[in-house]
Amino acid sequence: MALTRLVHQVREVGFGQRTSFADGVLTVSADEARGVLADEALASVQLSWVSPGQSARIVKVLDAVEPRSKGPGGGGIFPGFVGPARPQGGGETHVLRGATVVTAGFLPRAQEALVDLSGPAAALSPLGATHNLVVEFTPAEGAPWERVDAALRRGALRLAAALAEASLDAAPDAVEELPSPSAGARGGDLPRIGVVTNLQTQGSFKDVFVYGRSFGAGLPTLLDPGELDDGAVVSGQFGHPALKNPTFMHQNHPVVDELRRRHGNDVEFAGLVICPEPVEQGAKELISLFAAKVCAAAGFDAAIVTKEGGGNADADVALKMDALVDLGIQPVGLYAEMAGADGTGPSVVVAPERATAMVSTGNYDHVLHLPEMEKAYGGEQFALVKAPAAASFEVPTAVVYCALSPLGWGRIAARSG
Amino acid sequence: MARIVHYINQFFAGVGGEDQAGAGPVLLEGPAGPGRRLAELVAPEHEIVATVWCGDDVAADKVDEIVGLVRSVDPDLVVAGPAFTSGRYGLACARVVAAAHSVGVASVASMHEDNPGLDEAGAAAVVASGEVARRMAPSLERLAAGIQRLLAGETLTAEDGRIGAAARLTVVTDDNAATRAVDLALARLGGDSAATEIPLPRFDRVTPAAPVADASTVMLALVSEGGLVVADNPDGLESARATKWLRYPLEDRDALAAGDYMSVHGGFSTAWANEDPHRILPLDAARELEAEGAIGELLGEYFVTTGNGTSVANARRFGVEWAADLRRSGARAAILTAT
């Protein structure tokens, strides 16, 4: 299946009478947006644009979504939430690149994440360089938190689809024809490299959805990368800010991007396997063996293995790497290190026993000094340090949204010094 | 001329052997014991202005006091050892240089690479000594060379005999991690079987204590990493990456009522823990065992932290503090509930 991305670069944003997109300017009607977000679990929502370079911080960041649409009404985008739960990943998809819809506020089990739009932490988060439509919310009285979470998720996806719908008639800045992997078939002499992506599935507020359904009870399966583009994988996982994979990162999966870019040059893109990431050890073992079996059936020579979450999730990567070695497939694991503030602690919680190739996405405990910002969104306080959200404070890299991206977005690493 | 303070144990200070292992710490003017030779090796550029010694049995627990004495003479550098393979001495040397380093004082210790204290040196440098005191002379020469380099503002490396874990330092990379992962896969497929960005970790192996011979006579403690605190978490225990532990009383209490206690642990859904706090801390079962006489007595308080993303250094410190505290309070067995 081939997918064409019609990319519209968002250069300027604002609010206006009606939602529109023209000449790189995205205008949003706040009334229309509130209508899209309306749900009986939400008493009210507040919308703000927060843009790169501003002296601004977003705290309590939940999910982030890139606006995309395949046609009027979404045309099937975000299947299972906005469009019907039917396979997607082909045809044309409009992308508003440089903009996101971001939900921010308190949810149970959510670990506090922040994004700075200027200063040293801005470059550590993908949202530090995008125009972010921040959705803050007040839950309806008596609404169960699970309902609030579901309303925010559905609302953010519908809003993202509605924004991108405004670009359907605009001429794209770029047209990206995306190659699709050919599972199981060797096209030439190039090494066949694929990606195995674990989706954290640890119950409410730490769950990931595939075609609208929790992937918790699923088994590893091949997914066409175009399905990621069209929002088949949606995040409801709010733990470990630096180590989470929001919907935005699945839509722009960095390893998928890299394999697509190099396909036919020095690698053959062998495919994408998604796996649930459960808590229980027996399930971790079954899923790891199963994932390796799927990779073998798809003819992988090597697999990049990615995770989501903290130390517990290291086990899922380690088990898969060993299972791949046992089937003769070369694994490479992406690991965020937890080496302590001074870098001297044992940095990997669970290491593989037979596999040894690991890429570092940085040290979780590395301390950052964040400057004071003029304005904060998402909450009054940054509870971790008990300080006003806009204040200057020291935090571990672990709290910066996607800073240690397990999907390989970041440009930091830990090295032995 | 740089001012150096030298840390040694009671034996090398010439005070005595095991009979003096509980003494100190004591501050002496100028070099002492092996410090006299070390002073010659670093002269004339640098001077050992003072020596601190402490007995092996107590030194590892008196690090704050030792570092206080060290800092009282405002040194440019702290040197500890050589401790060879002596475990208690090595642990004290490592903790002294780690503590001094963390407050910004340049530090270096000397011990053999098999010394169990090596892992406690944190980010401070350790250079290799010989295995036994017979190797004092070459060990001091290497240590002196390390001191000269550190005081010249340089970093010690394996070429200087540096041993122990090298710190994992954050660097900015040209390519993102996804690109590097594909590059690494190609390098491995191309036959480079050693290529990796993360060296294989070395884990502690803890030997469990021997079973309690007769539980009916001992005081039992309940401790937990399950994040169980009193309602509303007034002491602010972290839900992840804990930097502290807390103690709460259990005296006159037979049960932990829902609503009075809550778990703040960020690594699992706390709904079931909050519904019945005994799922984290089994006070109900412990009181039954106490009433039956199966255990002698239950300690009148419990210790708790959050074991979610907690650094190994902090976890090790909590363990040392818990063990010392439990020992002082007379507890001889503990149940550590983990989540």
Side-chain angles (χ1 to χ4, degrees):
Chain A
M1 205 172 348
L3 181 74
T4 303
R5 275 196 306 227
L6 304 169
V7 177
H8 306 276
Q9 195 69 42
V10 176
R11 285 180 281 270
E12 212 181 305
V13 294
F15 290 107
Q17 289 300 309
R18 47 180 284 278
T19 298
S20 65
F21 178 79
D23 301 324
V25 182
L26 176 61
T27 305
V28 172
S29 156
D31 284 344
E32 286 176 22
R34 274 193 288 271
V36 169
L37 290 161
D39 188 287
E40 61 185 24
L42 301 174
S44 66
V45 296
Q46 189 183 335
L47 298 161
S48 314
W49 276 114
V50 183
S51 291
Q54 290 178 355
S55 179
R57 175 172 297 147
I58 316 172
V59 300
K60 296 181 170 51
V61 187
L62 299 170
D63 197 25
V65 185
E66 186 170 61
R68 293 192 176 194
S69 176
K70 297 179 77 65
I77 200 80
F78 304 118
F81 286 106
V82 178
R86 292 288 178 274
Q88 287 295 348
E92 292 185 343
T93 300
H94 291 261
V95 179
L96 287 185
R97 186 166 289 166
T100 73
V101 174
V102 177
T103 48
F106 174 84
L107 281 182
R109 299 189 77 193
Q111 287 171 308
E112 225 171 8
L114 71 75
V115 174
D116 276 1
L117 278 298
S118 57
L124 295 177
S125 175
L127 303 195
T130 52
H131 297 281
N132 306 299
L133 183 58
V134 177
V135 178
E136 296 170 88
F137 58 95
T138 306
E141 206 174 321
W145 284 113
E146 286 79 1
R147 294 281 309 282
V148 175
D149 173 34
L152 286 170
R153 179 160 41 257
R154 196 169 43 245
L157 295 170
R158 289 174 60 190
L159 181 54
L163 299 187
E165 194 168 333
S167 73
L168 292 178
D169 296 329
D173 293 295
V175 177
E176 298 173 344
E177 304 283 352
L178 302 170
S180 195
S182 46
R186 182 172 287 280
D189 296 332
L190 294 173
R192 286 177 56 79
I193 302 182
V195 53
V196 176
T197 287
N198 298 339
L199 309 175
Q200 183 157 100
T201 47
Q202 299 187 352
S204 295
F205 314 109
K206 286 200 169 189
D207 210 355
V208 179
F209 301 86
V210 177
Y211 283 97
R213 301 144 65 108
S214 165
F215 200 43
L219 283 172
T221 185
L222 280 165
L223 207 66
D224 192 286
E227 295 177 272
L228 287 185
D229 275 286
D230 285 347
V233 174
V234 166
S235 174
Q237 199 292 109
F238 309 120
H240 290 285
L243 301 173
K244 74 167 111 193
N245 302 323
T247 304
F248 177 90
M249 293 304 303
H250 290 299
Q251 292 172 292
N252 293 284
H253 192 310
V255 179
V256 166
D257 273 0
E258 180 68 7
L259 290 171
R260 278 172 167 165
R261 187 176 69 79
R262 292 165 78 156
H263 178 71
N265 297 320
D266 57 353
V267 307
E268 192 177 311
F269 187 2
L272 161 69
V273 176
I274 56 168
C275 313
E277 197 183 75
V279 178
E280 199 253 322
Q281 178 70 13
K284 286 180 190 290
E285 291 170 7
L286 169 67
I287 286 161
S288 297
L289 294 168
F290 209 96
K293 190 167 71 86
V294 174
C295 293
F300 285 25
D301 295 323
I304 316 296
V305 185
T306 73
K307 72 162 189 173
E308 175 164 30
N312 181 289
D314 278 5
D316 299 80
V317 179
L319 287 165
K320 287 191 184 71
M321 290 175 72
D322 283 338
L324 287 160
V325 165
D326 293 344
L327 294 186
I329 298 166
Q330 171 65 53
V332 172
L334 281 165
Y335 273 87
E337 301 185 56
M338 298 181 169
D342 67 4
T344 59
S347 71
V348 173
V349 175
V350 184
E353 290 178 7
R354 298 180 288 287
T356 55
M358 298 190 266
V359 161
S360 169
T361 67
N363 179 10
Y364 184 86
D365 303 303
H366 177 76
V367 176
L368 300 168
H369 306 264
L370 303 185
E372 186 179 351
M373 295 286 157
E374 281 170 22
K375 197 153 169 42
Y377 302 83
E380 301 285 316
Q381 292 274 314
F382 195 64
L384 181 72
V385 291
K386 290 197 180 65
S392 168
F393 42 69
E394 282 188 5
V395 287
T397 306
V399 306
V400 179
Y401 201 67
C402 302
L404 305 159
S405 170
L407 295 181
W409 175 83
R411 284 187 156 78
I412 55 172
R415 296 266 163 82
S416 295
Chain B
M1 186 187 297
R3 297 160 56 78
I4 298 172
V5 174
H6 188 199
Y7 175 77
I8 54 179
N9 71 357
Q10 86 284 358
F11 177 77
F12 285 104
V15 175
E18 287 299 321
D19 55 318
Q20 293 293 321
V26 173
L27 178 74
L28 307 171
E29 202 176 315
R36 296 197 179 90
R37 174 66 186 142
L38 189 61
E40 289 172 15
L41 291 168
V42 297
E45 298 94 330
H46 311 302
E47 183 188 6
I48 295 182
V49 293
T51 302
V52 176
W53 69 263
C54 189
D56 278 339
D57 270 353
V58 294
D61 291 329
K62 291 191 171 181
V63 171
D64 289 346
E65 208 178 320
I66 292 166
V67 173
L69 289 175
V70 165
R71 296 182 80 190
S72 70
V73 292
D74 192 24
D76 300 305
L77 179 135
V78 178
V79 56
F84 307 103
T85 50
S86 164
R88 288 174 302 173
Y89 187 20
L91 190 63
C93 288
R95 288 189 178 172
V96 167
V97 294
H101 182 89
S102 69
V103 294
V105 181
S107 312
V108 57
S110 166
M111 67 189 72
H112 189 265
E113 65 180 345
D114 291 339
N115 193 304
L118 181 59
D119 286 345
E120 299 272 329
V126 180
V127 295
S129 76
E131 206 167 343
V132 289
R134 209 159 14 89
R135 305 290 298 161
M136 181 66 87
S139 300
L140 286 176
E141 279 164 26
R142 176 176 273 174
L143 182 55
I147 290 169
Q148 303 272 16
R149 277 182 65 90
L150 277 177
L151 286 171
E154 292 170 61
T155 304
L156 299 186
T157 67
E159 284 184 13
D160 303 301
R162 182 166 182 170
I163 53 173
R168 299 289 287 166
L169 304 176
T170 298
V171 295
V172 177
T173 56
D174 292 337
D175 294 320
N176 71 13
T179 300
R180 294 180 352 249
V182 176
D183 289 344
L184 180 54
L186 286 174
R188 286 294 186 116
L189 291 172
D192 182 350
S193 62
T196 185
E197 291 187 2
I198 306 178
L200 277 185
R202 223 179 68 177
F203 291 109
D204 279 351
R205 298 272 174 224
V206 177
T207 308
V212 173
D214 179 6
S216 71
T217 63
V218 305
M219 182 192 279
L220 176 75
L222 296 179
V223 298
S224 179
E225 63 74 51
L228 193 77
V229 294
V230 298
D232 300 329
N233 192 20
D235 305 302
L237 183 62
E238 300 96 334
S239 66
R241 301 181 301 277
T243 59
K244 63 185 168 201
W245 59 275
L246 300 170
R247 61 171 84 224
Y248 290 106
L250 292 175
E251 278 159 358
D252 310 324
R253 206 175 273 274
D254 293 329
L256 305 171
D260 290 350
Y261 293 85
M262 61 185 278
S263 173
V264 297
H265 200 289
F268 57 87
S269 169
T270 52
W272 288 359
N274 296 340
E275 188 181 284
D276 181 0
H278 297 111
R279 287 171 175 149
I280 301 287
L281 201 82
L283 178 64
D284 51 351
R287 286 291 184 223
E288 278 175 33
L289 292 171
E290 192 181 29
E292 288 167 14
I295 58 170
E297 154 182 30
L298 189 68
L299 180 66
E301 56 183 350
Y302 75 94
F303 302 163
V304 65
T305 187
T306 302
N308 177 30
T310 304
S311 73
V312 171
N314 278 339
R316 185 182 280 139
R317 176 167 64 80
F318 301 162
V320 168
E321 289 170 356
W322 285 9
D325 210 296
L326 292 175
R327 187 169 268 283
R328 273 197 298 277
S329 62
R332 288 297 173 266
I335 292 177
L336 168 62
T337 52
T339 57

